Amino acid sequence: MSPEAGGTVAPGWRAVLANLRQRKVLAMLLLGFSSGMPIYLVGNTLGFWMRENAIELSTIGFLSWVGLAYSLKFLWAPLVDKLDAPLLGRWLGRRRGWMLLAQLVVAAALVGMALVQPREGALLLAGVRVDQLLVFGALALVVAFASATQDIVIDAWRIESAGSPEQQGLLTSTSTLGYRGALLVTDALILIIAAQVGWVASYGLMAVLMGVGVFATLYAREPTATGSATAIASPVPLLSGHGMLDAVVGPFVAFFRQHGSWALLMLLVISLYRLPDFLMGPMANPFYADLGIDKETVGAVRGSVGLVATVVGVAAAGLTAVRFGFMPTLLAGAVLGPGSNLAFSYLALHGADEGVFAAAMVIDNFCSGYAGVALVGYMSSLTNVGYTATQYALLSSFYALLGKLLKGLSGVAVEQLEASGRGLLEAYSLFFAGTAAVGIPGVLLCIVLATRRPPGTPRVGVAGGRAYPPAQEGGRP
């Protein structure tokens, strides 16, 4: 993916709906849905289920580390980029073969999570007693690993299937629509379903919904660009020493060669930009449970005013990028993103008031939608053709790596604040305020980029990459 400087912003939803007659556009809509399905199921939604089962906050925080698979996917992206999937690759082609394999593994592991459940105790497996939470966490890790692999391939399929920059924008918007639909299901609708039929049946239903991705994979056509892109990136066999070095090191070398001394600063901005969101993420749903807000209310607010606020935030970021340029939009997002955490700090002190909760969700979803689009637009402008899957995986990994490393300690932080003599809700309030303060270095670095813009940085948003944060688990990673 190599967005042109000054390119067009991705078309809107009307253009997406008008073009669903095209095979690749409909396939992209369904693949976007499949890409968004697993993320919350091993993230925030899982935290709600665990807290209702009286699992400690520290354990919930530690289990959020399974999401590191999304940030480390650049480690195996070269293999996915260059090798066919076992068995399925010869039948479906390289991209579709990996898609189908990843989707089947995600569905199977979700069924396993539903059967095991997050409970304290022991299970008898093959005559050996094992910790039930350990088995549950291992299944969640399998879901995250397979889901990250699916993301690698869907990104590559989208980029290689587009015949022009305009079509790339259309496919990006289509993918976003499907992805946001999946987040609505796994972030809001599942809470309402779980309140009626329980968590086990809800996770089983989510496994069935992965069939949408399976259908899309079988319906889609293998992109003809796969072979040519591979030839450009690596003219020698992958399993040779030179080929493996090119596949693993090549994308890094190309990035630093293109951006020179600015490359490190760019990567640092990317890694810090959404850090406050990641730190807060694992504690958001346990906070609602401890505050006394029921699942139905959370799901209803997220699926109504929260969804509208997200759409408005995404649209506002796109309009700002067109009107004022890339860097002002990036800087505004750096302020709005962490600033929205203060709304939850106030909610913790105010108590379980549905009106205040809805207002906090509106603020959070608008700011998260805005900041997410601002960051992804910036990342999209930095990528190159030649290492289609790998270089995009590199940037999306830096986006989340630091945050996902540190967020596993979020539960410990809240418990330590409570142990210092404060009440649980006061501890939550201080924790959320602290996550907002963590965003200050990111704001300062964005100012540096904005005032001393590197040569070649586009001023206007482009449509080359995803129109949502990679591996972003909704408004709260």
Side-chain angles (χ1 to χ4, degrees):
M1 151 184 59
S2 71
E4 297 290 327
T8 59
V9 177
W13 307 131
R14 291 183 181 179
V16 170
L17 297 176
N19 285 276
L20 283 180
R21 293 186 301 272
Q22 296 184 41
R23 189 185 190 100
K24 68 175 65 175
V25 175
L26 178 57
M28 188 74 263
L29 177 70
L30 301 179
L31 289 173
F33 182 87
S34 181
S35 178
M37 279 296 297
I39 294 174
Y40 266 140
L41 300 178
V42 293
N44 287 7
T45 299
L46 180 58
F48 212 129
W49 186 7
M50 295 178 69
R51 192 56 174 169
E52 285 197 338
N53 284 1
I55 304 299
E56 294 181 351
L57 292 176
S58 56
T59 302
I60 295 173
F62 294 149
L63 191 58
S64 72
W65 274 330
V66 301
L68 280 170
Y70 293 101
S71 298
L72 298 176
K73 62 186 178 183
F74 68 90
L75 295 177
W76 66 92
L79 297 178
V80 175
D81 214 9
K82 310 297 183 184
L83 298 178
D84 291 339
L87 300 178
L88 298 175
R90 290 193 176 186
W91 173 39
L92 295 173
R94 179 168 303 167
R95 301 308 186 203
R96 295 195 304 149
W98 280 112
M99 280 185 208
L100 183 57
L101 178 61
Q103 289 156 357
L104 294 176
V105 172
V106 167
L110 286 175
V111 171
M113 290 175 65
L115 295 175
V116 173
Q117 302 184 54
R119 297 185 183 277
E120 300 284 357
L123 290 175
L124 193 64
L125 296 178
V128 179
R129 294 179 66 85
V130 293
D131 184 88
Q132 187 169 347
L133 270 179
L134 183 62
V135 175
F136 185 84
L139 289 168
L141 180 60
V142 171
V143 172
F145 179 83
S147 173
T149 302
Q150 179 189 218
D151 288 349
I152 292 169
V153 191
I154 288 178
D155 276 329
W157 184 90
R158 170 180 52 78
I159 294 165
E160 294 167 351
S161 294
S164 66
E166 292 75 17
Q167 194 172 72
Q168 185 63 258
L170 175 63
L171 291 181
T172 299
S173 291
T174 306
S175 179
T176 304
L177 183 60
Y179 186 88
R180 289 292 179 186
L183 294 185
L184 179 63
V185 170
T186 57
D187 187 32
L189 184 59
I190 190 175
L191 299 181
I192 299 173
I193 297 173
Q196 302 299 319
V197 300
W199 286 106
V200 173
S202 299
Y203 265 66
L205 177 61
M206 297 303 108
V208 172
L209 286 179
M210 285 301 298
V212 172
V214 172
F215 170 79
T217 298
L218 298 177
Y219 177 74
R221 291 193 176 103
E222 183 73 3
T224 57
T226 304
S228 60
T230 301
I232 294 172
S234 182
V236 297
L238 174 65
L239 297 182
S240 68
H242 185 197
M244 185 64 70
L245 182 66
D246 178 74
V248 176
V249 180
F252 297 86
V253 173
F255 182 83
F256 280 89
R257 181 179 295 142
Q258 178 186 3
H259 300 290
S261 59
W262 286 92
L264 287 176
L265 179 60
M266 291 172 175
L267 292 177
L268 187 58
V269 167
I270 289 171
S271 66
L272 293 178
Y273 196 81
R274 301 302 300 278
L275 181 58
D277 277 349
F278 279 107
L279 292 178
M280 177 181 167
M283 293 299 104
N285 277 336
F287 166 59
Y288 305 147
D290 289 335
L291 192 61
I293 301 176
D294 57 60
K295 292 191 292 293
E296 296 97 322
T297 300
V298 176
V301 171
R302 282 176 173 168
S304 55
V305 294
L307 176 62
V308 172
T310 298
V311 172
V312 173
V314 168
L319 292 173
T320 305
V322 172
R323 176 63 181 84
F324 299 104
F326 245 149
M327 297 312 300
T329 303
L330 188 73
L331 180 57
V335 176
L336 290 174
S340 66
N341 290 17
L342 296 176
F344 291 93
S345 183
Y346 174 77
L347 177 62
L349 297 177
H350 186 83
D353 184 304
E354 292 186 9
V356 176
F357 170 68
M361 290 296 291
V362 167
I363 294 171
D364 174 61
N365 285 12
F366 174 86
C367 294
S368 294
Y370 187 102
V373 170
L375 176 61
V376 173
Y378 178 68
M379 289 195 301
S380 297
S381 72
L382 303 180
T383 53
N384 272 329
V385 175
Y387 300 94
T388 304
T390 308
Q391 196 173 63
Y392 195 82
L394 167 66
L395 288 180
S396 62
S397 295
F398 269 94
Y399 149 78
L401 181 58
L402 180 61
K404 290 194 173 183
L405 280 171
L406 295 178
K407 77 175 186 176
L409 302 175
S410 57
V412 175
V414 175
E415 289 180 348
Q416 289 298 313
L417 287 170
E418 183 186 15
S420 65
R422 300 174 175 86
L424 178 58
L425 294 182
E426 185 183 355
Y428 273 121
S429 181
L430 289 172
F431 172 73
F432 295 147
T435 61
V438 168
I440 294 174
V443 174
L444 297 177
L445 290 177
C446 283
I447 292 174
V448 174
L449 279 179
T451 55
R452 300 182 62 187
R453 189 171 61 91
T457 301
R459 295 181 180 274
V460 181
V462 294
R466 291 179 185 234
Y468 53 88
Q472 177 182 315
E473 297 132 67
R476 287 290 160 211

